[in-house]
Amino acid sequence: MAGSRLPRQLFLQGVAAVFMFAFASLYTQIPGLYGAEGILPARKTLRPQGKGRWQQLWETPTLLWEAPQLGLDTTQGLELLSLLGTLLALGALLLRQLRTLLVYLLLWAAYLSAYQVGQVFLYFQWDSLLLETGFLAVLVAPLRPCHHHKQAPQGGLAGALPHEDLPFWLVRWLLFRLMFASGVVKLTSRCPAWWGLTALTYHYETQCLPTPASWFTHHLPVWLHKLCVVATFLIEIAVPPLFFAPVRRLRLAAFYSQVLLQVLIIITGNYNFFNLLTLVLTTALLDDGHLTATPGNSHCKKAASSWPRTLLAVLSLLLEFTIYGLLAYGTVYYFGLEVDWEQRAVHSRTTFTFHQFSQWLKTVTLPTMWLGVASLTWELLTALWRWTQVRGWPRRLCTAVQLLIFGTATVALFVISLVPYSYMEPSTHGRLWTGAHRLFGTVEHLQLANSYGLFRRMTGLGGRPEVVLEGSYDGHRWVEIEFMYKPGNVSRPPPIVAPHQPRLDWQMWFAALGPHSHSPWFTGLVLRLLQGKEPVIRLIQNDVTKYPFHKRPPTYLRAQRYKYWFSHPGEQSQWWRRQWVEEFFPPVSLGDPTLDTLLRQFGLQDKSPPRARSSSNTLAQALHWVRRQLSPLEPSTLLWGLLAAVGAIRVVQALHSRPHSPRSSPPGKEEKHRPAPKKDSGAATKRAAPAPDNCTSSSQSPGRKK
């Protein structure tokens, strides 16, 4: 009966790694985004309203309320939280003793605190996903540090307490909601590119931050792009229900399909820590038996199987083939797959209508919720059965309390999650239990459950829109301002940025999709560049000398909208082609009535200078010293260096913990002196080998992880 001890440890390590990247990436950008001289100063978001301390903390849950008690302003408090979050996550990643409930609670609280003042630069789906995943990690993590060889309660299974698998099931449910909703919204949006299966012919050049591999994949044949869209729909819509399949091999097949999709996205796009976080969620589809399996296990061959077990194995195999056959038939039928042997291509087209898909979605949304209910009920019954196996009344009472607390929390979070999950189908959302709506509304601001839907519509069908900033001293000769990461210079290859997220570059991509008035922060960016504020300049070019106006701020600033396309194969030393479209932001200078009007309209004027803090504050001085040491490093280089350091420490840990094996005997000699197994060999086999389920992958027994 394979447990989930190893997948849970992988999950906790993965969450720690993602928190480390997220905090470190955010830290590098705090002065330019949220400082007193930043684009959107954080101090403006935290203004006491005369409410009680606890009410204020509940309505705006952020630890930054306590920054003044430490002699820090809001920005310095945010820097402190980010640094401590990075170090704490690094510790949890490297040290098993730190992977406890308290540590993950602190990580979640610190990121939620930053989220409350992050404004538009932290309003991304992966930030919400990290907060939801981080809270689940709080429930999955043990209360106290666990030792490598700690024994289970007497009668327990595989070293697991009865309640331990319950919160981990919520990780699988979150992965299901993320993937299934992401597939569904592509079709409910009525985007012609998704319905015409041509989305990937635009995606690679129109996504926010392409990689060098994006250029090459963009030039693949159109029929292959369309086939990849079909595969995306298959992986995101048809496969996720298999996350709850009773047959282990079906869940593993679903796991590898999700991993394949995320790895391909990582190669062809810079999506910071998002795909890594999704890979962390897929650990909920694994079990100890799969992670510890070695080829040629002798006990798999020797394990005796009774006829009921053999029958279950055969039925499981038949179920597998049936599901694979249905998936293959449905894909061919609904997407009209036809092989063209002459052109060596596979043609595809959508054979169903929007109305038919809407009716199908209305039919299946509620059953998928009941699928979650059934799967969770099985987990609860399994946990209850495990509890009955615990021996000793004191231990049984203790585990009963834990089971009650974590079982209640798991059910409550599941009920809360049904509300944002039902957003994708309005009629189902309206029929949902009103108690679920009330419960969700109470904790919505804590980001415990969120709705998801990635790449809802494909943008840039007529060319990638891109905003290019230009500065001038005389208003006649204009010089382009090039960003470190986003497309600008047509001769520069797309960079590899992940796991860093340059949040200004991302928002520049969104700004290009509409008028500048839809992105009020852009006026704040213009103001800071006209003022020559170095923290904001470092968001554009970390090496200030590469900024064309580093010696003296520009007198005038404007922005143009261009359309970009990947260059054609064979075009020498060019990665992009571009064409001017229109003026995005009019030429302005400091004191210009147009600029002043916009600043007033968006509430971006510096009405009062920030309150001065004592420069003798030791903590503030320490933060300033750390910033001065790290600022010369480019953010993406800093994160890659952090990753390299983690890898080096891991290698040292592995070498240090490797047991020193005794001198080996010559080949054949060991065999010669090995005693032959006798009567006790059967008992030894029982002690050494787990239940035969692990080898046959048949349907599960009651105590096994779903």
Side-chain angles (χ1 to χ4, degrees), residues 336-364:
L337 298 186
E338 296 178 357
V339 179
D340 188 334
W341 298 106
E342 293 183 1
Q343 299 182 6
R344 296 183 180 180
V346 179
H347 299 300
S348 53
R349 67 187 189 283
T350 306
T351 62
F352 52 93
T353 65
F354 176 79
H355 175 72
Q356 290 172 327
F357 180 76
S358 299
Q359 292 300 313
W360 175 84
L361 184 61
K362 188 178 297 185
T363 303
V364 303

Side-chain angles (χ1 to χ4, degrees), residues 162-211:
H163 73 273
E164 287 183 347
D165 282 346
L166 287 176
F168 199 46
W169 178 89
L170 287 172
V171 178
R172 199 188 324 172
W173 173 245
L174 172 57
L175 177 66
F176 170 78
R177 289 192 289 119
L178 171 67
M179 301 311 301
F180 188 72
S182 296
V184 164
V185 298
K186 292 176 174 61
L187 294 174
T188 56
S189 68
R190 300 197 185 199
C191 175
W194 286 115
W195 277 93
L197 307 182
T198 59
L200 292 185
T201 61
Y202 308 102
H203 165 72
Y204 298 112
E205 73 176 1
T206 61
Q207 62 183 318
C208 180
L209 297 177
T211 65

Side-chain angles (χ1 to χ4, degrees), residues 580-599:
W580 181 86
V581 177
E582 61 183 350
E583 184 179 74
F584 178 78
F585 195 91
V588 293
S589 59
L590 289 177
D592 189 297
T594 302
L595 179 61
D596 290 342
T597 301
L598 290 172
L599 291 172

Side-chain angles (χ1 to χ4, degrees), residues 593-615:
T594 302
L595 179 61
D596 290 342
T597 301
L598 290 172
L599 291 172
R600 228 177 7 255
Q601 178 183 345
F602 300 135
L604 297 173
Q605 283 183 315
D606 293 326
K607 297 180 180 178
S608 59
R611 184 182 302 174
R613 298 286 173 185
S614 174
S615 59

